[in-house]
């Protein structure tokens, strides 16, 4: 069955736009309704959530534009209607620079479930990924282990 996954972890491609004709072979996408095209990262986001079973968990790398751009408010609305946001972890601009991508990104962690009451969301910002924009090791240690420990404490407290 399509929605049997407990966990989905993904880093969808960014920057490409798919027209409606491309979706004929990909299946139904709610966020395409009323539009002639859809950015590939948004299609990847929706497909990943489609793959999750109820209470399934997902971690996805998204360009910050999905989280901040006024024109992409429909994506945030769709997410809030279909998932429970658990965390947003901002990554530094150089995260994907050594691989030719200069897009500011965040890791978004969510659960496929309906929201029943107000809840806490973990927010963090990684300032040092452990290397610079050219891929050379940085002189100071990465923040990743500290953020991971803080998130582990958060999910333990939340009972997740």
């Amino acid at each position: 069955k399509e929605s049997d996954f407990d966990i989905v972890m993904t880093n969808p491609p960014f920057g490409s736009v798919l027209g409606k004709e491309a979706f004929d072979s990909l299946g139904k996408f709610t966020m395409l309704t009323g539009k002639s095209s859809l950015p590939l990262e948004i299609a990847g986001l929706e497909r990943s959530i489609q793959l999750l079973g109820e209470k399934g968990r997902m971690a996805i790398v998204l360009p910050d534009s999905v989280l901040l751009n006024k024109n992409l408010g429909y994506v945030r609305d769709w997410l809030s209607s279909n998932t429970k946001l658990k965390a947003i972890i901002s990554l530094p601009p150089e995260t994907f620079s050594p691989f030719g991508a200069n897009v500011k990104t965040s890791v978004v962690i969510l659960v496929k479930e309906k929201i029943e009451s107000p809840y806490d969301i973990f927010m963090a910002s990684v300032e040092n990924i452990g290397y610079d924009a050219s891929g050379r090791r940085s002189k100071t240690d990465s923040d990743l282990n500290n953020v991971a420990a803080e998130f582990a404490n958060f999910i333990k407290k939340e009972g997740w």
Side-chain angles (χ1 to χ4, degrees):
K1 187 172 141 191
E2 183 178 273
S3 61
D4 281 346
F5 290 92
D6 295 325
I7 297 172
V8 171
M9 297 173 63
T10 185
N11 180 4
F14 309 151
S16 297
V17 176
L18 296 176
K20 272 193 174 183
E21 64 283 349
F23 288 94
D24 290 339
S25 61
L26 295 175
K28 185 176 189 269
F29 285 80
T30 304
M31 286 193 276
L32 184 62
T33 304
K35 295 172 185 48
S36 59
S37 62
L38 195 64
L40 194 51
E41 61 269 20
I42 295 170
L45 171 66
E46 184 170 346
R47 177 53 45 94
S48 296
I49 292 168
Q50 289 171 354
L51 292 172
L52 285 174
E54 189 63 28
K55 304 240 185 226
R57 297 171 287 175
M58 183 170 84
I60 185 169
V61 178
L62 291 174
D64 281 2
S65 61
V66 173
L67 304 172
L68 303 170
N69 186 315
K70 182 178 153 184
N71 294 332
L72 296 176
Y74 71 95
V75 177
R76 296 184 295 278
D77 291 342
W78 184 86
L79 275 175
S80 67
S81 296
N82 292 282
T83 67
K84 182 176 184 179
L85 181 63
K86 297 301 279 183
I88 298 175
I89 302 168
S90 177
L91 300 174
E94 62 272 8
T95 301
F96 296 105
S97 293
F99 311 102
N102 293 311
V103 176
K104 176 77 176 81
T105 60
S106 292
V107 176
V108 176
I109 300 171
L110 51 84
V111 179
K112 186 176 182 178
E113 68 178 320
K114 297 296 180 193
I115 300 168
E116 293 147 15
S117 60
Y119 63 95
D120 293 328
I121 299 172
F122 178 81
M123 304 282 283
S125 181
V126 175
E127 301 298 324
N128 182 346
I129 199 82
Y131 52 85
D132 64 18
S134 65
R136 290 187 300 263
R137 189 144 178 79
S138 60
K139 296 180 191 312
T140 56
D141 289 336
S142 166
D143 300 343
L144 289 173
N145 287 335
N146 293 338
V147 171
E150 290 172 20
F151 183 60
N153 288 334
F154 173 81
I155 60 175
K156 184 186 271 187
K157 183 185 93 178
E158 293 287 305
W160 186 46

